[in-house]
């Protein structure tokens, strides 16, 4: 089933909560899990249990299941912003789910999340080894609904590159640019203030894996294509430099033009 939300309608082109077909049950379950884990963190006894499934430095002590469960444990934030994030998860998730179908939706969501988690942990391990006293908040850029949003927005931008999204409900931007805006936002809002290098790396990997998984040939073909383009640019730069180094002077010799190298 290929369902596309009409552009320039409702909130940034996504329509209202009841427009289009009924919301998929999988998406409602996903939103429900995020809401439940967010609520449990306000209870002292349940907070420690929830934190066991969120990505933290405990992964270095063998809590490897966190690499799979962390996207489903909501990040603590103010109630207003959390509900707004859940609403955006619903908007993007509904469109992407109907475009991809159930199996592909979950495959891309889990593949990108696990790949991002592994990349973040590796980068964090290197950062700790290089600078043990470095003060920062690890993985804050990619926990819970933030990683879900990163993947869903990247998928929407890839599948609907020509669509228009109202950034902050005001500024119209072509959906394709959100692939880069997600990385810029992670750098500005999480890496710079919190020094979250691992979370920033994980966000970049999540965007890449989501985009490349929706391209023909998958991540491997995308990487080969980028490598070939890089090689072409290097060769062209070398040729341009060689042309600039070869200078020709033109001397007027009457009826004949002599070219002296």
């Amino acid at each position: 089933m290929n369902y596309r939300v009409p552009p320039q309608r409702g909130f940034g082109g996504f329509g209202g909560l009841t427009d289009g077909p009924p919301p998929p049950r999988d998406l409602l379950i996903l939103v429900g899990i995020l809401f439940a884990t967010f609520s449990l963190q306000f209870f002292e006894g349940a907070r420690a249990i929830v934190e066991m499934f969120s990505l933290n430095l405990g992964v270095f002590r063998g809590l490897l299941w966190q690499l799979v469960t962390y996207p489903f444990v909501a990040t603590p934030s103010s109630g207003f912003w959390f509900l707004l994030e859940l609403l955006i998860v619903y908007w993007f998730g509904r469109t992407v789910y109907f475009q991809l179908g159930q199996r592909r939706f979950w495959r891309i969501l889990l593949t990108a999340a696990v790949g991002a988690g592994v990349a973040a942990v590796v980068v964090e391990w290197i950062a700790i080894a290089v600078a043990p006293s470095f003060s920062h908040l690890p993985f804050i850029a990619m926990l819970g609904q933030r990683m879900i949003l990163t993947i869903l927005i990247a998928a929407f931008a890839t599948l609907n590159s020509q669509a228009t999204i109202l950034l902050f409900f005001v500024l119209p931007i072509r959906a394709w640019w959100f692939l880069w805006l997600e990385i810029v936002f992670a750098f500005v809002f999480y890496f710079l203030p919190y020094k979250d290098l691992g979370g920033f790396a994980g966000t970049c990997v999540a965007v890449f894996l989501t985009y490349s998984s929706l391209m023909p040939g998958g991540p491997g073909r995308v990487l080969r294509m980028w490598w070939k383009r890089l090689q072409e640019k290097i060769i062209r730069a070398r040729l341009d430099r060689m042309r600039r180094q070869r200078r020709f002077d033109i001397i007027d010799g009457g009826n004949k033009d002599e070219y002296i190298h």
Side-chain angles (χ1 to χ4, degrees), residues 148-213:
I148 299 292
L149 276 174
T150 297
I151 297 171
L152 292 180
I153 292 175
F156 181 91
T158 305
L159 295 169
N160 308 276
S161 59
Q162 301 300 322
T164 299
I165 301 176
L166 295 182
L167 181 62
F168 305 127
F169 307 108
V170 176
L171 184 62
I173 295 180
R174 182 181 167 189
W176 170 259
W177 288 106
F178 272 76
L179 292 170
W180 297 104
L181 285 175
E182 287 191 295
I183 296 175
V184 172
F185 287 167
F187 180 80
V188 172
F189 293 112
Y190 297 107
F191 175 72
L192 291 181
Y194 301 110
K195 307 300 185 293
D196 183 14
L197 181 60
F200 175 68
T203 300
C204 294
V205 170
V207 172
F208 168 75
L209 289 177
T210 304
Y211 163 77
S212 59
S213 297

Side-chain angles (χ1 to χ4, degrees), residues 87-105:
L87 188 59
I88 298 175
V89 166
Y90 172 82
W91 281 337
F92 281 102
R94 183 181 64 171
T95 303
V96 171
Y97 185 92
F98 284 126
Q99 289 181 309
L100 294 179
Q102 183 185 48
R103 290 186 179 180
R104 201 177 179 197
F105 175 87

Side-chain angles (χ1 to χ4, degrees), residues 50 52-55 63-74 114 144:
V50 174
M52 289 184 59
F53 297 95
S54 179
L55 189 62
L63 306 183
L64 298 181
W65 61 79
Q66 293 180 354
L67 296 173
V68 179
T69 59
Y70 80 91
F72 308 105
V73 179
V114 172

